[in-house]
Each structure stands twice: as structure tokens, then as C-alpha cells.
Amino acid sequence: MLWLIRVLIRSIAVLDLLLFTLLMLLLAALPHALIHAIYPRLFQAWCRCFVRALGVQLRLHQHAPLPAQYILIANHPSALEDVGIPALFKVRSLAKIEVRDWFLVGKIAIAAGTLFVRREDKASRQAALAELIAAVNAGDNIAIFPEGGCHGRLLAERFQFGAFAVAFATNTPIVPVFLHHEAQISFEWHANESLLQKIFAIFTSPNPVVHYHVFPALYPADFENKEIFCETSYQHYLTWQKRYLI
């Protein structure tokens, strides 16, 4: 009997997501001037709805309070972060340019104010950096994955400088968030795995619990330059990786 109740609850959550997605797509088709004030808040609610439909349980561990404005950085082992982070934090995210073309999700991401970058193109990276600085100067919080992409369960060999350059240019603190999936193999994005395959793997994961650890903010004034800021942050992540993943 309990399994039937669980199936019913999950079915309702999926139906809720489908209806909410339809509403978000209809709103996204309207002129930006009409929706810019409400769409980001609806996007955060939609992300939470998406997480519920996947059956994922997000666990937020706030080891320190959030500053009034911040640049959020996080490790990026899975596709879940694209909805998990904006579900918990009021941020504008930087995403790879391919997200613009994702089925349905791309239109919603554009309307929500997501910033995009073509990672392999230097001119695109420079343009994205300028857009990120402008967004922070306009009062937005932004979210960046400093690994420069989704590299699986363990960290990439180094962090990219972008988030730290924005922090120095705007004198804005960086909030490091470390993600820990209890079913790490189910959640991490494997080579040659499509988005739909990854979503199905998350949907059917034997353990849906994901931990988001929010650590104390790091301030650019405490570092000599972006390179030292970047390397210090990376060393923190290596420490957390040993604590939670290895």
C-alpha cells in the first residue's frame, strides 16, 4: 500500500511540473518588459517544483550566513545543479551556451535571465565576464561553476579565474557551496550520457538525498589578486572533497 501512495505522490509532482512548465513557457513568450519583475521569482519556484518531481531531497547546511550580495560558486558533478542551486538561492546563473537550445528548459532559462558563455571561445568568455560584472553592479547575485563545466564526482584539476575576476572588479564576496550527493554514482554526469538519461538516472536513484554546504564568504580585499583568491578557494574545495567524497 505504501508503494502505491509513493507512486501517487510522485505522479502528482510530475503533473505539477508539466503544468508549471507550460505556464512558464507561455509567460516566456511575452515581451520581457511585462515579465521581468515576476519571472525570476517564478523561476525559483519552478526549479523547486522540478526538484520535487525528480524526487530529490535537498539538504541545506548553512555553516555561515549569506552576505547581502554575493557571487556563489559550487562544484558541478551533476546536471541537477542547474535547478538545484536556483531552487535554494536567489541567483542568476552562468551556463554553457548549449543550455539555450535544451528542449523547453532553454526558453525558460533565457526568460529567467540566465547568462550564457561559449566556453571554448575567448571572445564569448570575455563578453560573459562583462555581463557578469554588469549583473553584479546592477545588484544581482550570480552563480558560477569555477570548474568550467561538469566534470563528474571529483573536482577538476583547477578552477577558472572568472568568478574571482568578477569579485575583484565589483568588490563582492564569494560564497563557496560544496555539493555532496549521497548516491554519487547515480547523480554524477558520466561521459556520453545525454540529458534525458541523466534525468532518468536521478529520477530512479536509490538515494535521493543531496547536501548543499554553505561555507563562510570569502572577500576579495583579503587577497592580493584573483590568482591567489582562486587557488585559495580551490584548496578549500579539495579539503571538503576529502571530507565528504573520499
Side-chain angles (χ1 to χ4, degrees):
M1 186 64 179
L2 288 177
W3 70 268
L4 183 59
I5 294 174
R6 286 196 292 268
V7 169
L8 179 60
I9 292 174
R10 182 69 74 87
S11 299
I12 292 173
V14 171
L15 178 60
D16 187 28
L17 175 61
L18 293 174
L19 294 175
F20 202 164
T21 300
L22 178 59
L23 172 63
M24 294 294 281
L25 289 170
L26 291 173
L27 290 174
L30 296 175
H32 179 70
L34 295 179
I35 64 170
H36 77 278
I38 63 168
Y39 205 89
R41 188 172 300 176
L42 288 174
F43 177 67
Q44 186 171 41
W46 178 81
C47 288
R48 291 172 180 166
C49 183
F50 204 137
V51 170
R52 284 196 301 271
L54 291 173
V56 173
Q57 300 173 26
L58 298 181
R59 298 286 185 264
L60 181 64
H61 305 268
Q62 277 195 282
H63 303 284
L66 291 172
Q69 188 182 15
Y70 55 88
I71 298 166
L72 184 152
I73 63 170
N75 52 320
H76 194 12
S78 174
L80 179 70
E81 289 83 70
D82 293 322
V83 291
I85 284 179
L88 293 177
F89 304 94
K90 187 180 179 182
V91 292
R92 293 179 65 187
S93 299
L94 177 68
K96 61 183 181 180
I97 194 68
E98 290 82 0
V99 172
R100 291 177 63 100
D101 299 322
W102 281 2
F103 180 64
L104 302 181
V105 174
K107 291 183 174 59
I108 294 174
I110 293 169
T114 301
L115 303 167
F116 299 99
V117 61
R118 193 178 303 278
R119 292 170 179 155
E120 65 279 7
D121 186 329
K122 182 178 180 180
S124 178
R125 294 195 302 269
Q126 292 175 338
L129 181 64
E131 289 181 341
L132 289 166
I133 291 172
V136 174
N137 284 333
D140 294 330
N141 302 320
I142 58 173
I144 303 175
F145 300 111
E147 292 176 275
C150 197
H151 290 272
R153 182 172 67 92
L154 300 181
L155 294 170
E157 293 184 355
R158 64 185 182 91
F159 280 172
Q160 306 295 325
F161 293 135
F164 309 95
V166 176
F168 263 95
T170 61
N171 194 30
T172 303
I174 281 183
V175 172
V177 178
F178 190 85
L179 314 182
H180 166 213
H181 305 79
E182 291 192 0
Q184 296 174 36
I185 303 303
S186 297
F187 278 82
E188 73 171 323
W189 206 334
H190 303 281
N192 302 318
E193 189 174 34
S194 71
L195 177 61
L196 289 178
Q197 287 173 322
K198 185 72 271 168
I199 288 175
F200 182 75
I202 294 172
F203 186 82
T204 57
S205 171
N207 184 343
V209 178
V210 180
H211 301 274
Y212 281 43
H213 293 272
V214 181
F215 288 99
L218 303 172
Y219 291 82
D222 295 331
F223 301 91
E224 185 177 345
N225 54 51
K226 68 179 181 182
E227 289 81 9
I228 295 175
F229 197 1
C230 177
E231 181 58 26
T232 302
S233 300
Y234 183 70
Q235 291 302 318
H236 285 314
Y237 272 82
L238 287 178
T239 299
W240 299 327
Q241 177 171 264
K242 291 179 181 178
R243 182 187 306 173
Y244 297 112
L245 301 184
I246 299 177

